[in-house]
Structures are given as C-alpha cells and as structure tokens.
Amino acid sequence: MSDRFAAPLPGGIGVSRLRVYDTVAPDGLVGGTPHVHLCCTEGYVVTDGEGAVQTLTTAGFRETPLRPGAVVWFEPGTVHRLVNGGGLTIVVLMQNSGLPEAGDAVLTFPPDVLADPAAYAAAVVLPAGGAPGADVGAAYRRRDLAVTGFQALRSGGPVALAAFHAAAIALRQPLVARWRQRWETGAGRAAADTGVQLDALDRGDPGHLSEAGVYAVSEPVERGRLGMCGLLDTYPANG
C-alpha cells in the first residue's frame, strides 16, 4: 500500500473533515456561512455533535436536522448554512475534486456587494488564504455579512433568490474555464475510464484489473484551515 494520494478518490470527489464554527451570528444562531455552489453537489456525513443545515431553493426554506450517522446532500443552486447545536463535526463529500471549497461557492452577501466584483473580493478574502493559524475573526466577519444577506434572501422569496443566482453567475463566469479543466481531469475522466472498463469487460479483456493500485493517506495535509462553515482538515484532491 502506498502512503500517498496518487490516484483520485472514487468518482473524482473531494473529502474534508469540518468542525463547524461555534460562535454566534447576527441572527443569534451559532454556525457557518450561508453560500451556494453553482456546478457541484455537496454531501455531509455527520460524525459527531448535532445541529442542522438550513437550505433555500426555489421550493422554499428548509431545516434538516444533523446528528451522528445522518447523510445529507444537495444540488447546485441550493443556498445552505450549517447551524451548530454543539460539537457538530462532519465529513464533507465534494464533487469535482473538491471544487466546492476551491472556487465554486458564492456567499450570500447583500446585493450591493454581490454587484461589485471588487467589493465582493474584499469581503470574501481571508488572511493568508485561510491557512491554518490565520485570524479566525476574518472568517466570522464574512460569515456575519453573509448571514445578513441570507436573512434578506429568505424574506425576499423567489424573486430575491433568482436575483442572487444571477449575481452569483456573473461573479464566477470568469472562472468557468478553469473549473471545466478540473472536471475534465477529475470526475469527467473517472466517468470516461469506467466506460473504457465496461467496454473491456464486454470483450472479456481483463487488462485493467492487472493495473490495480491501493492508496492511502495517513492524515490530513492540513488541520484547521479556515473554511466557509468551520475549521477544515483537508486531504489532497487529484484532478
């Protein structure tokens, strides 16, 4: 077994361990930063503690309880926010080699911030890119601004949500080519490889079976990186 991450995780996903922020936001709830992903599905496997994930879609607002053993996932366009009821710890499964934490996210800042790319960039940035040991106060400040915008989204109904989606796309369009490359070398390649393997099985060709490898990572490559919803223990993501 190789103690290195030389092959993508199944399906080209990304994995991280998340300890949800435990400070109070402006609406009195404890937890993370509301945001949306534009082309990635994200999933949670709850390992410790309790809480909830608040979601907002065109179907309306919903709050899903989170307790150890629960698995919850949601599709692109779902505004989501983690609420920490005490010690909430989650394994996060991310489509496209971890793209949700690597660019495919727009925080629910108020409309005037979303409409100005420079203002959005200034509001979203973290010291040292959020590296372990960076000032967590900056993460709390951007969380609080996003919660203010999230409250307005909830009260604004479908029209407000549609306007937010449009603003989010406008902000992230310059990154789409980079995201496409990540998809092509990650999840896209994994799907294509499966097609090749199925063709080989149809022919009775076992060639790919002789090329199998076993890979492991003994520990996270980082512990305590500042994420949108809490402190992240991160693993390498190929693709």
Side-chain angles (χ1 to χ4, degrees), residues 222-233:
E222 287 184 316
R223 295 183 184 272
R225 170 168 285 276
L226 301 181
M228 288 172 286
C229 291
L231 300 176
L232 291 166
D233 296 341

Side-chain angles (χ1 to χ4, degrees), residues 12-205:
I13 66 167
V15 173
S16 63
R17 178 176 178 264
L18 172 67
R19 289 163 285 156
V20 180
Y21 291 132
D22 58 2
T23 59
V24 180
D27 61 352
L29 296 178
V30 174
T33 307
H35 60 281
V36 72
H37 301 299
L38 301 179
C39 68
C40 294
T41 292
E42 187 173 67
Y44 298 151
V45 181
V46 183
T47 59
D48 291 290
E50 62 180 8
V53 58
Q54 295 182 336
T55 54
L56 185 65
T57 68
T58 55
F61 175 79
R62 177 177 175 180
E63 187 165 290
T64 303
L66 299 177
R67 294 182 178 84
V71 178
V72 179
W73 65 97
F74 37 85
E75 297 173 316
T78 304
V79 178
H80 51 287
R81 176 213 190 170
L82 283 166
V83 177
N84 190 349
L88 184 58
T89 304
I90 292 168
V91 172
V92 184
L93 307 176
M94 298 168 284
Q95 223 178 356
N96 298 314
S97 308
L99 183 58
E101 279 285 351
D104 178 25
V106 175
L107 279 59
T108 57
F109 292 151
D112 61 322
V113 179
L114 291 170
D116 182 343
Y120 182 88
V124 80
V125 70
L126 293 175
D135 176 22
V136 71
Y140 296 155
R141 287 190 289 275
R142 74 173 186 179
R143 185 268 317 268
D144 292 350
L145 183 62
V147 167
T148 300
F150 181 62
Q151 290 176 289
L153 275 181
R154 284 186 59 181
S155 63
V159 172
L161 183 59
F164 170 71
H165 284 162
I169 291 172
L171 274 171
R172 286 296 183 248
Q173 271 184 322
L175 304 178
V176 170
R178 188 187 311 168
W179 295 356
R180 185 181 299 277
Q181 183 179 31
R182 192 182 187 104
W183 165 72
E184 287 174 344
T185 59
R189 179 175 177 179
D193 285 348
T194 299
V196 170
Q197 292 162 4
L198 289 170
D199 291 341
L201 294 175
D202 264 341
R203 298 191 305 269
D205 178 359

